[in-house]
Amino acid sequence: MAKLPKTPTDAAERPARKAGRPTSAKPRPPRQPKPKPAEAQEAPAETVAEVAPEPTFPGAAQAEMIETLSMNLAKAAMMAQSAIAEAALTQADRPAALSPDPFNVAPAMTSVMTSLAAQPDKMMQAQADLFGRYMQLWSSTARQATGEAPDPAPTDKRFKDPAWSENPMFDMMRRSYLLTSDWMNGLIAGVEDVDPTLKRRAQFFTRLLTDAFSPSNFLASNPVALKALAETSGESLVKGMQNFAADLERGGGSLRISQADYGKFVVGENVATAPGQVVWRDELFELIQYAPTTETQHEIPLLMFPPWINKFYIMDLQPANSLIRWLSAQGFTVFVCSWVNPDKDKAGFGFDQYLEKGIYRAVEKTLEQAGAKQLNAVGYCIGGTLLGAGLAHMAAKGDTRVAAATFFAAQHDFAEAGDLLLFTDEHWIAEIERQMDAAGGVLPGAAMAETFNALRSNDLIWSFFISNYLLGKDPPAFDLLFWNADQTRMPKTLHLDYLRQMYGANALAQGAFQIGGLTADLSKVTIPLYFQASREDHIAPMNSVYRSAKLFGGKDVTFTLAGSGHIAGVINAPAAKKYQHWTNAALPATLAEWQADAVEHPGSWWDHWSAWLAKRAGKQIPARDPEKGPLKPIEPAPGSYVKVKS
């Protein structure tokens, strides 16, 4: 083999390097400066030579920024690892879940996949559809690269920030994700020959999965988070990991994402501040009578039964949006049943106890305090379910003490109760029962909150995940979200009966629900009724509430549809001038027929309800002072039960 020619060099050929010696050149001594010319040496003494400035190196500031960023990234990583390790230690001694699939998703997905496999032509068509969509996406991206304006992006508030469209890479990522997730969810929705319940379960959890894999939920694929990371030299991520660690600690090792700045609100100080008095207290509830704001009031008082899943002060957040203050200003004597936050001693309480010790006793004490023979009642959500069953029980006994009733977002017919039906099969109920047994006979408030959050995961989980952890922002000071996180416990007997009897068997609508030793027959309830539903309610869907209104036997039944959802649709003060509502005096067979002839009105539905209620609330009498009734005041509103934390 021919030898390669030597590289020519002016220097003499160097000896071979000894093993182990460094390969870098030895440092040379600094060169001595050459002597200056004579003219330069003879410069006048008065002339002072200017000192040259220190040399600056390009990129020094950038290097410092990179160093800061690197340190913050390392700090954030260490904080995350430490928080996760501590959470793992906290959870180590807890028993594992009895079922690895508590939502029973596997059978549903198996049925769906089996159905798809049995229709190869449909799968081929779906794959061709996906390929066609991607071809359109690539074509649009290529045209955009040549300077053409991009096609309008699909509307999705997860990607509303301009950063998603300004950078072609992130724009492509967004469009690709939306295309694929839409295709996947459409594929599951189009499956045939599958049990409707299984199909719905598969659809729900496919949507949860596709929502979770949105590029907005990951730091590396979220341009907004990356921009914040660069602009703050990593401080945003450090703050995010601090938030992450705090939420893990708050959840006792389980991640409980903060939805609001909980330190900004104190019950009785800046929320739940309407003046009034607790005039009765027993083991199940406190009865609060609110102070009047008018010289006269309607003769028939108003008694409100909130849900025991949450606390009553959703109706008294702050003065500007307080339903209780607003009702007092309309001349109504307002009483509220503030349920106890049940502990282990209430594990055996069921519908019978909440009827006798709740509905009946609250009615009795309200009438005693008001000096009246009848009252009007309000039931909100599950409080309305109980009130409806209680009215049927009263009708069977010939009890006429409730003159008229109103239901806020309340269901009595659960045939179309929405996605919550997915959490009521026996597999899930067994998991719920396990949690309650582990907690001593009550369902922890956080468990119910997690279920409700899952129904709207993008709004109630991922939006806060991004804001709190990826962007490092502080949670907002939002009264409604503060209330939403202030959950209560649920007694085991009551909760299992609710899931099995209402959601599972739809017993109340079927005329088979046993309560207080009687069978509740809603058709026997003939008093005037007012039903409110919200168009975007995911907990008590509008069609479910409408079906409930059709179950009662009276001719004076009014149904009103509000804009927004389960909370904002109800708590919408007229002064805010938000949303809209629809009215229709008729009550045809279906909601679709009702909507066809309904009239839309801007703003809140409260004025419409107040006018309906005033006609059924009796004459005007001197305003009632809660401190001067036969029941002596115990303590100022909002009382003590509402302050008990879960």
Side-chain angles (χ1 to χ4, degrees):
M1 183 174 177
K3 295 183 179 180
L4 293 174
K6 295 183 179 180
T7 303
T9 175
D10 295 335
E13 200 167 306
R14 298 184 180 91
R17 300 180 191 273
K18 294 182 180 180
R21 295 186 65 180
T23 58
S24 58
K26 294 181 180 180
R28 296 179 179 178
R31 292 182 180 180
Q32 298 298 324
K34 294 181 180 180
K36 296 180 180 180
E39 302 91 279
Q41 296 178 12
E42 295 174 2
E46 297 88 21
T47 304
V48 179
E50 294 185 3
V51 179
E54 285 285 333
T56 58
F57 298 95
Q62 291 87 337
E64 185 177 352
M65 289 175 60
I66 292 172
E67 183 179 0
T68 303
L69 176 62
S70 300
M71 291 179 64
N72 280 331
L73 290 176
K75 184 178 179 181
M78 291 176 64
M79 291 176 65
Q81 291 172 7
S82 176
I84 293 171
E86 188 172 344
L89 289 174
T90 304
Q91 297 278 347
D93 58 345
R94 298 184 184 178
L98 296 180
S99 171
D101 183 19
F103 297 110
N104 201 26
V105 181
M109 295 306 297
T110 299
S111 296
V112 167
M113 293 300 114
T114 301
S115 175
L116 288 172
Q119 303 176 66
D121 56 332
K122 190 168 185 176
M123 281 300 299
M124 290 288 291
Q125 184 180 0
Q127 291 171 355
D129 175 51
L130 180 63
F131 181 74
R133 294 190 194 192
Y134 266 102
M135 288 297 294
Q136 291 178 0
L137 175 62
W138 294 331
S139 175
S140 173
T141 303
R143 291 196 306 271
Q144 185 179 351
T146 62
E148 287 190 25
D151 295 337
T155 302
D156 191 309
K157 59 185 178 182
R158 289 175 292 178
F159 308 107
K160 66 181 180 180
D161 193 284
W164 286 100
S165 55
E166 291 170 351
N167 186 305
M169 182 184 71
F170 290 113
D171 184 48
M172 174 73 169
M173 193 180 297
R174 166 185 61 173
R175 292 173 185 270
S176 176
Y177 161 74
L178 290 172
L179 184 158
T180 306
S181 62
D182 179 68
W183 178 83
M184 285 183 63
N185 285 292
L187 181 65
I188 302 299
V191 170
E192 300 171 354
D193 303 324
V194 173
D195 180 88
T197 301
L198 293 177
K199 178 179 175 179
R200 185 168 191 167
R201 188 179 301 278
Q203 285 181 269
F204 180 79
F205 286 99
T206 300
R207 188 171 68 250
L208 278 184
L209 182 66
T210 55
D211 286 347
F213 279 98
S214 168
S216 59
N217 299 337
F218 301 91
L219 177 64
S221 55
N222 187 324
V224 185
L226 291 174
K227 183 180 179 182
L229 182 73
E231 290 178 345
T232 65
S233 297
E235 289 290 344
S236 61
L237 191 59
V238 172
K239 182 63 166 63
M241 291 306 97
Q242 288 174 344
N243 292 340
F244 175 74
D247 285 348
L248 270 178
E249 183 179 1
R250 191 170 63 88
S254 298
L255 185 61
R256 192 178 301 177
I257 302 176
S258 297
Q259 297 178 336
D261 186 346
Y262 304 127
K264 295 291 185 182
F265 299 100
V266 179
V267 175
E269 293 185 13
N270 55 3
V271 290
T273 59
Q277 293 289 330
V278 176
V279 297
W280 174 262
R281 176 186 293 149
D282 59 25
E283 62 178 333
L284 193 56
F285 71 94
E286 290 177 333
L287 183 65
I288 304 172
Q289 180 184 355
Y290 285 90
T293 57
T294 55
E295 293 185 1
T296 62
Q297 292 179 321
H298 290 282
E299 181 181 21
I300 298 179
L302 184 67
L303 172 59
M304 308 182 79
F305 293 100
W308 53 84
I309 294 175
N310 303 100
K311 296 180 179 179
F312 83 87
Y313 67 90
I314 185 59
M315 299 183 291
D316 183 32
L317 288 172
Q318 297 190 71
N321 59 0
S322 171
L323 175 59
I324 289 170
R325 287 177 183 267
W326 186 86
L327 286 167
S328 296
Q330 307 309 304
F332 297 103
T333 308
V334 181
F335 289 83
V336 169
C337 175
S338 174
W339 300 106
V340 72
N341 192 349
D343 214 330
K344 301 174 183 178
D345 61 318
K346 304 291 188 303
F349 276 42
F351 275 104
D352 287 354
Q353 286 73 26
Y354 272 70
L355 173 70
E356 297 292 343
K357 297 183 177 184
I359 296 288
Y360 275 116
R361 187 169 294 170
V363 167
E364 173 193 344
K365 294 303 176 182
T366 297
L367 294 176
E368 181 181 347
Q369 176 72 350
K373 294 182 179 180
Q374 284 188 309
L375 58 78
N376 292 326
V378 174
Y380 192 165
C381 189
I382 191 174
T385 305
L386 174 66
L387 176 60
L391 292 176
H393 194 273
M394 288 181 168
K397 295 175 58 179
D399 189 333
T400 60
R401 290 178 294 171
V402 177
T406 299
F407 298 100
F408 299 162
Q411 300 175 93
H412 306 90
D413 186 332
F414 288 76
E416 298 184 40
D419 286 335
L420 276 175
L421 285 169
L422 301 175
F423 296 87
T424 57
D425 71 353
E426 284 302 320
H427 287 82
W428 176 238
I429 290 177
E431 172 64 17
I432 288 287
E433 189 168 6
R434 183 196 67 79
Q435 292 183 35
M436 289 190 285
D437 288 340
V442 292
L443 180 67
M448 186 62 67
E450 289 168 1
T451 301
F452 288 146
N453 289 343
L455 297 179
R456 293 173 55 202
S457 62
N458 281 332
D459 291 333
L460 298 177
I461 297 177
W462 295 116
S463 66
F464 295 103
F465 181 92
I466 295 166
S467 178
N468 297 1
Y469 308 148
L470 301 189
L471 299 178
K473 293 182 178 180
D474 290 324
F478 190 8
D479 55 0
L480 193 153
L481 290 176
F482 167 78
W483 166 86
N484 188 56
D486 192 7
Q487 297 286 336
T488 58
R489 296 177 286 266
M490 296 276 283
K492 176 180 177 179
T493 299
L494 177 64
H495 194 50
L496 291 180
D497 284 350
Y498 179 56
L499 294 178
R500 288 193 171 108
Q501 293 295 312
M502 301 300 176
Y503 282 95
N506 201 15
L508 187 55
Q510 299 295 330
F513 182 62
Q514 298 289 319
I515 185 170
L518 298 173
T519 301
D521 185 351
L522 298 179
S523 68
K524 301 298 183 184
V525 179
T526 58
I527 62 174
L529 301 175
Y530 188 104
F531 284 81
Q532 177 274 338
S534 297
R535 184 176 58 175
E536 299 164 23
D537 195 332
H538 61 291
I539 294 174
M542 58 181 179
N543 199 51
S544 185
V545 177
Y546 191 83
R547 290 173 62 103
S548 299
K550 296 290 294 180
L551 293 175
F552 292 81
K555 295 181 179 180
D556 186 0
V557 179
T558 299
F559 179 85
T560 297
L561 183 63
S564 197
H566 190 69
I567 302 301
V570 177
I571 307 304
N572 181 23
K577 298 182 180 180
K578 293 176 64 177
Y579 311 125
Q580 69 281 94
H581 66 281
W582 293 263
T583 60
N584 182 353
L587 200 70
T590 66
L591 175 62
E593 294 176 77
W594 183 92
Q595 288 179 293
D597 295 325
V599 178
E600 181 176 343
H601 309 273
S604 175
W605 58 276
W606 288 8
D607 286 318
H608 182 265
W609 173 51
S610 177
W612 179 92
L613 190 61
K615 293 178 181 178
R616 296 159 179 82
K619 63 183 180 181
Q620 293 287 320
I621 63 170
R624 300 178 174 100
D625 186 341
E627 297 188 29
K628 297 180 179 178
L631 300 177
K632 300 306 176 185
I634 299 173
E635 67 173 290
S640 297
Y641 283 177
V642 74
K643 298 176 183 178
V644 176
K645 298 291 184 181
S646 296

